[in-house]
Amino acid sequence: MINQGRCCMLRSSFMVSTLFVLAMGVFVPAARAQTASNQPAVSKKPATTKPKKVEFVTIQKGTLPVILSAPHGGELDLPGSLPRDRKSGGSRFQTVRDVRSSELAEAIANQLEAEFGQRPYLVILRVSRKYLDANREADYAYESPEAQVVYDEYHGAIEQFKKSILEKHGSGLLIDVHGQSKEKGAVYRGTRNGLTISALNRRVGKDAASLYSKVMEDAGLRVVPPSTAAPNQEVEYNGGEIVVAHGSQNPGGIDCIQMEFGADLRSVAALPQTAKDFVKGLSPFLKEHYGVSEQRQAAAGGTSPAGR
């Protein structure tokens, strides 16, 4: 009886164990299946999103006979490029950034559009000046082929826009926007003492630089040299490579004026008002000397980018 009881107990234990194992065998795969169903599906398709192309030069077409250039506000590194060499630059070597000069050029462009219903052409360098200075002759502007490509793109855009302006309007004006900290509340005018606005001087038959200073003064800006100064009084910040290379003293050139805005005029708080005051002065000058009239509807394609 004892042995028979033990056999019954063993059979019972075996059956319980077997049922437990079978139950677990059914439960575990089900649990695994449930866990797997909660995992996100892994896509095997290749990625289609391309990395964003870095814009080293902002280039925008316009419809006004005006080009705004801003070469010294950039902050971007230029991959593969060597930093500029002080030895080759000599006393003209500078790497300091004209803080918020790019933003000021863009604000002026927006204000001109609000005034005339048309946009100016816009060329802005986004690369740090330690790699490239677009306002220097090529021999002093860069040290590597990578920087030369960007330099040529910058000046090439201006060349293209000059040609378009002369074909459509017969004359035009380039404003080269810079920053200075010597007189923080003033703007320095640079035309190489009238050289880079030679065509305008011929049209008006007098010192056009003083006329320009006068309209800016009437708008509330303090200009150096002032309108009351004798001709040929530009001593400091009197114009760099951009206005010299593209000025109207050259065949195929247009009138060019360099403007060095003081640090106080480029502060975050002051910048919008500076743009308004500048356009307030520029507006009558453009109407009188460049035939600009108000067109409240922007011309088609006026804000489309012409380059990367």
Side-chain angles (χ1 to χ4, degrees):
M1 292 292 294
I2 296 176
N3 289 339
Q4 199 172 21
R6 285 181 179 174
C7 287
C8 290
M9 292 175 63
L10 288 172
R11 281 197 298 267
S12 298
S13 299
F14 176 77
M15 290 177 66
V16 171
S17 300
T18 301
L19 290 172
F20 179 79
V21 171
L22 288 173
M24 289 299 294
V26 173
F27 176 77
V28 171
R32 287 176 180 167
Q34 180 64 28
T35 302
S37 67
N38 292 334
Q39 298 300 318
V42 178
S43 174
K44 293 183 180 180
K45 294 181 180 180
T48 57
T49 303
K50 295 181 180 179
K52 185 178 180 181
K53 193 172 186 179
V54 177
E55 185 180 72
F56 294 126
V57 184
T58 296
I59 301 172
Q60 292 181 358
K61 290 180 181 179
T63 51
L64 287 172
V66 178
I67 302 172
L68 294 175
S69 162
H72 289 163
E75 297 182 274
L76 292 179
D77 289 330
L78 186 58
S81 178
L82 295 172
R84 293 166 57 229
D85 187 350
R86 179 176 292 276
K87 293 179 181 178
S88 65
S91 60
R92 293 156 49 83
F93 180 87
Q94 293 286 342
T95 59
V96 65
R97 172 176 170 252
D98 290 355
V99 177
R100 283 183 288 279
S101 57
S102 299
E103 292 87 340
L104 179 56
E106 292 173 314
I108 291 170
N110 293 337
Q111 194 64 34
L112 281 169
E113 184 174 25
E115 176 73 16
F116 292 106
Q118 304 178 74
R119 283 187 71 81
Y121 295 78
L122 194 64
V123 185
I124 299 176
L125 185 63
R126 303 297 184 180
V127 175
S128 169
R129 200 174 178 186
K130 68 182 179 182
Y131 299 106
L132 170 63
D133 190 338
N135 200 35
R136 296 287 183 269
E137 304 94 323
D139 288 345
Y140 304 106
Y142 51 81
E143 296 292 333
S144 64
E146 292 81 5
Q148 181 183 357
V149 170
V150 180
Y151 181 89
D152 291 344
E153 183 177 15
Y154 193 94
H155 284 273
I158 294 177
E159 287 289 344
Q160 176 187 342
F161 291 163
K162 284 191 308 181
K163 183 178 179 180
S164 179
I165 286 172
L166 291 175
E167 288 175 352
K168 293 177 181 178
H169 303 279
S171 63
L173 177 65
L174 180 149
I175 304 292
D176 199 31
V177 179
H178 292 261
Q180 53 84 20
S181 56
K182 182 173 183 179
E183 292 197 46
K184 295 182 179 182
V187 186
Y188 278 79
R189 183 198 75 209
T191 65
R192 291 294 176 96
N193 288 312
L195 176 68
T196 63
I197 54 172
S198 294
L200 180 59
N201 282 325
R202 291 192 296 269
R203 291 200 302 275
V204 302
K206 61 180 76 172
D207 176 23
S210 293
L211 297 177
Y212 177 80
S213 289
K214 182 66 167 61
V215 296
M216 292 299 162
E217 290 165 352
D218 291 345
L221 294 171
R222 183 162 66 87
V223 183
V224 181
S227 60
T228 54
N232 303 327
Q233 293 297 304
E234 295 174 354
V235 178
E236 296 183 90
Y237 308 112
N238 67 340
E241 175 64 11
I242 289 173
V243 298
V244 171
H246 301 288
S248 59
Q249 78 278 13
N250 304 306
I254 64 174
D255 296 320
C256 293
I257 302 175
Q258 179 173 298
M259 295 292 281
E260 295 267 356
F261 291 84
D264 288 349
L265 300 174
R266 289 177 287 117
S267 71
V268 173
L271 191 144
Q273 188 62 48
T274 300
K276 288 180 181 179
D277 290 344
F278 181 74
V279 171
K280 181 180 178 182
L282 187 62
S283 177
F285 196 78
L286 292 177
K287 290 176 181 178
E288 182 175 358
H289 300 298
Y290 297 94
V292 175
S293 60
E294 294 181 5
Q295 295 182 17
R296 288 303 167 189
Q297 66 284 353
T303 60
S304 60
R308 72 174 187 215

